[in-house]
Amino acid sequence: MPYLSDRFHDRDTDLRAPGPAAPAAGPNRTGTFDATAVTAAIGQRVLGQAAALEAVGHALVIAQAGFQDRDRPMASVLLVGPTGVGKTELVRRLAAEIRSGPDDLCRVDMGQLGQEHYAASLAGAPPGYAGSREHASVLDRATVEGTALTPGIVLFDEVEKAHPLVLRALLGALDHGRLTLAGGDRTISFRNTFVFMTSNLGSADLARRQGRAWRRALGSLPVRGPVGRRARAALGHRDGAIVDRAVRDFFEPEFLNRLDEVVHFGAITPGTAARIVALRLDDVRERFRRRDVELVIGDGVVEVLLDDGFDTVNGARGLGRSVRRNVVVPVAQALVRHRRATDGARPPLTLRIDPAPGGGPDPLVVRPHSPGRAGAHGATAAGAGRAEPA
């Protein structure tokens, strides 16, 4: 028989402040977004992960249609794959599309819950222990439960780093959509919530295999040819089996049995890496444009940044460091010098970025540019490294 507090929670009357409240369960509470449009928007930022986008699209369309299980979270998805391939970014992009922004989610760094007693961080301190009356939890209840028009989003990041007892504390939330706090008189509802978890399980083994000669030879085959397609498919199947085995060996069966889906993220390919560099450079250009600095990108810049920052182990993070080191830093230096030369004024500044001729310590060069100069263009694929005096 349910506790009275559970019934009160279903009616949103258990210790809530006055005002509109989020129902713990209901038919279709998320008809305010278009699943197809949201999935397409996420795909503009998370590149090269078609399987992950498809899984998110499935969860969204079920929620939009109102066919989700009313007694469980709207979706419980484990995202597995190497570092720097977009697992966390996918969840942030989802929050940006269906909530108020990419950081409008409840994100829990499970690496900080690596000891047994940190199970109290989720469910609160048990009766008789210090803090038991405060019902403290790392989960932000308002963000987890969402509202009548906006679902909640929870991200348990790097879930394999948490202590097994911490993971067991989540079984109730994944199974029947409620996390009962240790005091027994309060609950947090997950029934209006998308639950995501990320994990790097199996990545170390995959990274070791990436360096083998036969692996590099198969990976270098043209993707458009039939042999290359079959080789990539075989490698993907083999990598998936390695990750699946690592996931099964680590998690307890009752935990995996409560997940709706385990989604695999593949390593970033050179083609996807080039698109990521172009996307990062677009972000950088927009950031500097707000400071009255226009960036003009020369041919070959993307290739230089790829050579400097791309590797399959670090994924997009290595590309981000390359853009910061070779583009953001020299452009910022040129902007500071420009302001000094103009006595602190902020006249518009146009800079051009090109590959450095003849090599040198910096792969790219930044120089002042006149918009009317021949050969200049504002391509979205760019980069920079050495800033010449303005």
Side-chain angles (χ1 to χ4, degrees), residues 33-382:
F33 63 79
D34 181 347
T36 303
V38 170
T39 305
I42 296 174
Q44 297 296 315
R45 303 289 302 186
V46 180
L47 306 177
Q49 304 296 345
L53 291 176
E54 183 180 13
V56 171
H58 291 166
L60 290 172
V61 75
I62 290 173
Q64 183 182 5
F67 290 150
Q68 71 274 9
D69 190 337
R70 296 178 60 185
D71 296 327
R72 300 184 68 244
M74 303 179 76
S76 302
V77 181
L78 174 63
L79 310 176
V80 294
T83 182
V85 295
K87 301 186 295 295
T88 302
E89 182 64 14
L90 181 145
V91 184
R92 295 182 73 249
R93 288 297 111 199
L94 176 62
E97 294 300 323
I98 67 175
R99 293 182 63 86
S100 65
D103 296 318
D104 187 12
L105 56 91
C106 181
R107 179 174 176 176
V108 181
D109 183 1
M110 301 298 272
Q112 299 178 357
L113 309 181
Q115 299 181 25
E116 178 180 354
H117 58 272
Y118 279 118
S121 297
L122 295 178
Y129 285 79
S132 60
R133 295 184 178 181
E134 285 77 10
H135 302 280
S137 172
V138 296
L139 299 172
D140 179 42
R141 183 173 180 174
T143 307
V144 171
E145 295 186 345
T147 67
L149 297 178
T150 305
I153 298 178
V154 181
L155 171 62
F156 297 103
D157 211 4
E158 297 185 324
V159 67
E160 77 277 6
K161 296 182 180 179
H163 192 276
L165 286 182
V166 177
L167 300 181
R168 290 173 192 166
L170 295 174
L171 294 180
L174 298 176
D175 192 25
H176 53 79
R178 285 198 190 98
L179 176 65
T180 302
L181 300 185
D185 59 342
R186 298 191 185 187
T187 61
I188 298 177
S189 174
F190 283 72
R191 295 180 177 181
N192 187 39
T193 308
F194 290 103
V195 179
F196 291 94
M197 309 173 201
T198 67
S199 172
N200 297 327
L201 288 170
S203 298
D205 194 4
L206 292 178
R208 286 192 295 269
R209 291 172 178 269
Q210 293 287 347
R212 297 179 180 176
W214 64 269
R215 176 78 185 224
R216 292 197 301 270
L218 288 178
S220 64
L221 293 175
V223 180
R224 295 183 179 180
V227 177
R229 286 196 298 268
R230 287 196 296 267
R232 292 294 177 90
L235 290 176
H237 181 74
R238 187 184 185 95
D239 292 348
I242 293 172
V243 173
D244 283 336
R245 183 170 62 249
V247 169
R248 289 194 303 269
D249 291 344
F250 183 84
F251 292 109
E252 297 176 343
E254 56 268 30
F255 182 85
L256 290 177
N257 206 30
R258 286 165 168 79
L259 300 177
D260 294 323
E261 197 162 359
V262 178
V263 179
H264 291 229
F265 278 65
I268 292 178
T269 64
T272 300
R275 295 169 59 200
I276 292 174
V277 170
L279 189 63
R280 293 290 179 90
L281 291 172
D282 283 345
D283 293 341
V284 169
R285 289 179 52 164
E286 183 60 32
R287 196 189 322 163
F288 278 105
R289 187 174 288 124
R290 292 195 292 266
R291 302 282 183 176
D292 296 322
V293 179
E294 188 68 33
L295 297 184
V296 179
I297 307 307
D299 294 334
V301 172
V302 167
E303 289 73 13
V304 171
L305 292 172
L306 284 176
D307 291 340
D308 180 71
F310 175 64
D311 69 87
T312 56
V313 175
N314 293 317
R317 289 192 172 91
L319 299 173
R321 287 189 290 269
S322 179
V323 171
R324 182 182 185 276
R325 179 172 59 251
N326 297 313
V327 178
V328 176
V329 171
V331 170
Q333 291 171 342
L335 176 60
V336 170
R337 284 196 301 270
H338 178 68
R339 289 180 178 173
R340 283 192 192 133
T342 56
D343 295 327
R346 302 183 60 166
L349 174 65
T350 301
L351 299 172
R352 181 180 173 92
I353 305 170
D354 289 292
D362 299 307
L364 299 173
V365 60
V366 178
R367 58 170 64 93
H369 175 72
S370 298
R373 186 180 301 174
H377 61 86
T380 57

